[in-house]
Amino acid sequence: METHTLPCVLMRAGTSRGPFFLRDWLPEDEQLRDEVLIGAIGASDLLQVDGVGGGNSLTSKVAIVSRSSEPGCAVDYLFAQVGVGQRSVDTRPNCGNMLAGVVPFAIEQGLVEAQEGETTVRVFNVNTRSRIDVTVLTPNRRIRYDGQTSIDGVAGTAAPIRLNFLDAWGAITGSLFPTGRRIDHIAGVALTCIDAAMPLMIVQAAELGLSGREAPAELDANRALLDRLEQLRRAAGELMGLGDVSTSVIPKPVIVSPGDDANSIRSRYFTPRRCHASHAVTGAIGVATAFALPGTVASGNAAPQGVRGIAVLHPQGRIEVEVAVHGEGPNARIERAALVRTARKILQGELHLPDYVFSRPLCADTTGDKPMLMMKKLTPPVLAAALAAAASAAFAYPDKTITLVVPTAAGGGNDAMARTIAQKLGPLLGQNIIIDNRAGANGSIASEFVARATPDGHTLFFGYIATHSMNPALQKLRYDPVNDYEPIGLVGYSPTLMVATAKAPIKDVKDLVAQLKAKPDSYSYASAGNGTAPHFAAELFLLNAGVKMTGIPYKGSAPAVSDTIGGQTQFMFPSLFTALPHVKTGKLRALAIAGPKRVPYLPDVPTLKEAGVDGVDVMQWYGLFAPAKTPKAIVDQLNKALNQVLSDKELVKRIEDHGADVETSTPEQFGALVKSELAKWKRVVVQARLTAD
């Protein structure tokens, strides 16, 4: 496997951390650039162990710096917020903390010349098209990092870096108060929508039944509060002209309460679905602006115009913001806002990126000791030509190792079925097939990866009912289950089985329903994640039985089954393929079939309808997909090979022994199944009022 390298500087900037790049170090093509950033951070994993991220939005940030062509500005700064546990890059917001590292980085990279003593550089933020004057210490014309300035949320001290925001008001929406009002009412809650360095939705803590002094962990554990904030945030986003913000990080929700004196305000800042451990700089500018101006939900005591110091109190201390107010009453406006941050260079060197972080092949220069990233050569015309060449050369397919992406963790039923097929399919195609388990986000991480992969037949997807019907029916995703894929062929079906941990104190389904009606939520069920078949089946069971049970989502069926066996959860609705081996060993107890008829592998286990709960029919299906626009000749070749594998008596027996029925199809038949299943589960979501939460 080839490794690509590019220069990188890792910095702590304010209370954030992330890699800094010169724009010239990155590819011009935005999709490839974003894949570099995702690979650098290790975004696909919640812990980000495969990159330089820290498993938190505060350490999943990137700064891209270049010389500026903006009049009066020396440096351009593009900020990128990279996903945590999802392959996403958002360049809509700004980050004031990462801004603190931009000028030190620019001086060291030779973009600007340091002055004697201190240097002030006007930075143009590309995200918000706003200007910031940044002043750093430069004794002997060299950037200085060490000093005696401390900021809350960072251990130790460093040299001060002064950030002076000149025109950040209305930078995203075009207006400081984008709704035209300083207070709006949404669902009975008074709030202020403000665009000051960062679009914010500000709510008083008392409006939500809070004191405003709660710790971030306490707020994050309050699911009802987070759900309410998200509902308010989405409605506020519409009012602010930002459209559907369900997949955006802006506007950011902020909960405010009185500070310790007349010049302070307490703030709890969300990012947007978790409370910030301290506070964002841009958020502090917004909160201070709302505090300084009259008529908002955060307004402080009236003060004369002029320069005013405001302390934004956060969970780890305070951020001192200096604002210049011009005018009074409704005519008052903020002319500038300044604050002090610090930064530290952690390391500088080469960032190594393996092939698997990219969805299409890269050009590599191997003339040196190490292959270097050469993605700038992959301009759209070159890519189009490369894809056309791949299509015309389909007769030579496959000419390298094939990757079969599985959207669940290793050890589960989907993984076992995919590996069983790959063992036979590889030799038939004359190439090795490697399994790439990309679990997470209920299958959407793997689905997105394959949807954007090069359509040359060398990246395939083991999709199933959750990735192509249930999850897309339940929520808006970053891939289209129909238009982003070429169906190759059906693999088979497996009924859904209702199981219980071996020691669950119930006799049967009727006994369970009676116990739950007498004491709701007395048991919990495990699922492979919201939007998966075990989740849908469980929710349909609860709906049709008229009972309640706590749902615990896992990252795939393997850990969910493991915890059910161990008794951490008591019930689950896995596929028969996944559950049957554990039922045979007595680790799980089969209660009912969530389908129209009994199965020959468990002839004594009734259907749920026979057990008194009708309306739960979840037959799970599995199949192979390729990225959209994969040449038809390759799809047909793969379909022919897959169907030949599925006619192998030994393989069929191995799959059937686990409780699944093998069934083949043409690509067209499989595509029709996907469309009909998607429509079916969309109806179920509406009728059952299911949600992704």
Side-chain angles (χ1 to χ4, degrees):
M1 180 176 65
E2 193 168 36
T3 297
H4 307 273
T5 62
L6 70 160
C8 174
V9 176
L10 184 66
M11 298 186 71
R12 190 271 300 164
T15 56
S16 297
R17 190 194 74 214
F20 280 62
F21 300 101
L22 288 179
R23 187 179 62 190
D24 291 343
W25 296 347
L26 297 169
E28 293 175 356
D29 180 83
E30 287 191 6
Q31 180 179 333
L32 285 178
R33 179 203 68 191
D34 288 352
E35 289 186 349
V36 169
L37 304 186
I38 288 168
I41 293 293
S44 300
D45 176 17
L46 281 171
L47 297 178
Q48 298 179 338
V49 296
D50 199 38
V52 298
N56 187 289
S57 62
L58 307 185
T59 53
S60 300
K61 302 185 175 193
V62 174
I64 303 171
V65 184
S66 59
R67 286 189 174 88
S68 182
S69 59
E70 194 71 17
C73 297
V75 171
D76 280 353
Y77 157 51
L78 176 66
F79 167 69
Q81 180 69 63
V82 182
V84 180
Q86 61 181 6
R87 293 174 55 83
S88 65
V89 176
D90 193 350
T91 56
R92 285 168 290 186
N94 184 16
C95 176
N97 275 303
M98 290 292 280
L99 171 64
V102 168
V103 171
F105 174 77
I107 289 174
E108 291 196 335
Q109 297 303 321
L111 297 187
V112 293
E113 184 177 348
Q115 305 301 308
E116 178 58 44
E118 68 176 31
T119 302
T120 297
V121 178
R122 182 156 293 179
V123 176
F124 180 70
N125 177 238
V126 179
N127 310 73
T128 60
R129 300 197 63 78
S130 59
R131 299 167 303 152
I132 310 98
D133 280 346
V134 180
T135 302
V136 298
L137 299 185
T138 51
N140 301 318
R141 298 180 180 270
R142 295 175 64 87
I143 188 69
R144 180 173 181 175
Y145 290 104
D146 63 301
Q148 299 304 311
T149 299
S150 63
I151 60 174
D152 292 327
V154 177
T157 62
I161 299 174
R162 183 177 177 83
L163 311 178
N164 192 2
F165 290 78
L166 304 177
D167 50 10
W169 295 272
I172 298 291
T173 64
S175 175
L176 176 61
F177 297 105
T179 69
R181 298 171 293 275
R182 298 197 176 192
I183 294 181
D184 290 282
H185 291 84
I186 299 176
V189 176
L191 50 83
T192 290
C193 298
I194 188 169
D195 180 3
M198 175 72 71
L200 305 177
M201 178 202 75
I202 305 177
V203 186
Q204 287 188 0
E207 285 269 343
L208 303 174
L210 303 170
S211 69
R213 294 175 175 268
E214 290 82 0
E218 182 179 354
L219 296 173
D220 288 346
N222 189 338
R223 187 54 184 267
L225 170 68
L226 296 181
D227 289 345
R228 190 178 186 191
L229 277 179
E230 179 61 14
Q231 291 172 0
L232 293 173
R233 190 186 78 86
R234 293 187 184 188
E238 292 282 356
L239 287 179
M240 297 171 78
L242 296 170
D244 180 6
V245 299
S246 58
T247 59
S248 174
V249 298
I250 57 173
K252 300 289 181 70
V254 181
I255 299 173
V256 297
S257 57
D260 294 337
D261 53 42
N263 291 311
S264 66
I265 180 171
R266 198 171 305 280
S267 176
R268 295 295 182 263
Y269 179 89
F270 290 76
T271 62
R273 296 174 180 84
R274 291 181 61 186
C275 184
H276 199 298
S278 54
H279 208 287
V281 166
T282 48
I285 297 290
V287 171
T289 298
F291 180 82
L293 297 179
T296 76
V297 299
S299 296
N301 295 331
Q305 62 178 316
V307 177
R308 180 182 183 186
I310 297 171
V312 177
L313 310 181
H314 57 75
Q316 294 193 28
R318 58 201 289 137
I319 297 177
E320 300 284 350
V321 183
E322 183 184 274
V323 299
V325 183
H326 180 77
E328 297 179 349
N331 296 319
R333 68 178 188 274
I334 305 293
E335 292 188 326
R336 61 177 177 81
L339 49 78
V340 172
R341 297 278 87 186
T342 64
R344 181 173 83 86
K345 183 166 72 171
I346 298 172
L347 60 86
Q348 179 171 350
E350 289 182 343
L351 179 72
H352 293 245
L353 297 171
D355 276 336
Y356 62 73
V357 306
F358 300 103
S359 61
R360 57 199 190 208
L362 305 180
C363 298
D365 176 12
T366 56
T367 58
D369 293 334
K370 298 178 181 178
M372 296 297 294
L373 203 60
M374 297 292 289
M375 291 178 292
K376 284 185 176 292
K377 295 181 180 179
L378 292 180
T379 58
V382 175
L383 284 171
L387 295 179
S392 65
F395 65 91
Y397 171 83
D399 59 1
K400 61 181 179 180
T401 297
I402 297 171
T403 298
L404 178 56
V405 178
V406 177
T408 56
N414 293 35
D415 177 67
M417 194 180 296
R419 291 177 187 275
T420 299
I421 292 170
Q423 288 174 0
K424 298 284 187 177
L425 187 61
L428 195 60
L429 292 172
Q431 286 289 345
N432 290 330
I433 297 181
I434 61 172
I435 302 297
D436 182 1
N437 295 93
R438 289 180 178 256
N442 309 327
S444 65
I445 290 175
S447 302
E448 290 173 28
F449 177 80
V450 176
R452 295 194 296 180
T454 302
D456 62 1
H458 292 95
T459 302
L460 306 178
F461 189 42
F462 191 81
Y464 69 121
I465 188 173
T467 57
H468 282 70
S469 297
M470 289 178 165
N471 204 18
L474 188 65
Q475 57 188 322
K476 184 178 180 180
L477 300 170
R478 293 164 62 93
Y479 68 93
D480 188 308
V482 174
N483 296 324
D484 286 346
Y485 304 90
E486 298 293 344
I488 293 172
L490 184 65
V491 169
Y493 292 92
S494 180
T496 298
L497 184 64
M498 182 181 184
V499 298
T501 183
K503 296 182 180 179
I506 63 161
K507 298 177 182 177
D508 50 28
V509 173
K510 291 181 179 179
D511 183 27
L512 172 62
V513 171
Q515 290 189 39
L516 289 173
K517 286 185 175 181
K519 191 177 180 181
D521 286 324
S522 52
Y523 296 113
S524 62
Y525 76 82
S527 77
N530 294 339
T532 61
H535 171 233
F536 267 74
E539 289 298 318
L540 287 175
F541 168 76
L542 298 178
L543 176 71
N544 287 284
V547 295
K548 292 183 178 181
M549 187 161 45
T550 302
I552 309 295
Y554 289 81
K555 291 183 181 180
S557 61
V561 168
S562 178
D563 269 15
T564 305
I565 290 173
Q568 286 87 345
T569 55
Q570 292 77 48
F571 301 94
M572 188 180 171
F573 287 77
S575 68
L576 182 61
F577 184 86
T578 297
L580 189 58
H582 305 296
V583 172
K584 289 180 176 179
T585 61
K587 294 179 180 178
L588 291 174
R589 181 151 57 102
L591 297 178
I593 303 295
K597 61 182 181 180
R598 298 193 183 198
V599 298
Y601 317 103
L602 299 170
D604 297 329
V605 177
T607 65
L608 274 171
K609 183 176 182 180
E610 292 172 332
V613 181
D614 198 1
V616 189
D617 185 355
V618 184
M619 179 67 77
Q620 302 188 42
W621 52 262
Y622 314 86
L624 288 192
F625 296 87
K629 299 182 180 179
T630 298
K632 188 176 186 302
I634 291 178
V635 171
D636 289 343
Q637 182 180 345
L638 285 167
N639 175 261
K640 181 179 179 180
L642 174 64
N643 290 345
Q644 185 174 337
V645 166
L646 295 177
S647 67
D648 184 286
K649 293 182 179 179
E650 178 189 353
L651 180 140
V652 170
K653 185 177 187 303
R654 287 174 62 185
I655 292 178
E656 290 183 345
D657 283 347
H658 279 74
D661 294 318
V662 171
E663 186 165 333
T664 61
S665 74
T666 65
E668 293 74 22
Q669 290 169 335
F670 187 34
L673 170 69
V674 171
K675 291 178 181 178
S676 65
E677 284 284 286
L678 181 61
K680 168 188 172 180
W681 291 107
K682 283 183 176 179
R683 291 193 297 270
V684 170
V685 166
V686 173
Q687 294 166 359
R689 298 180 180 178
L690 298 178
T691 69
D693 299 325

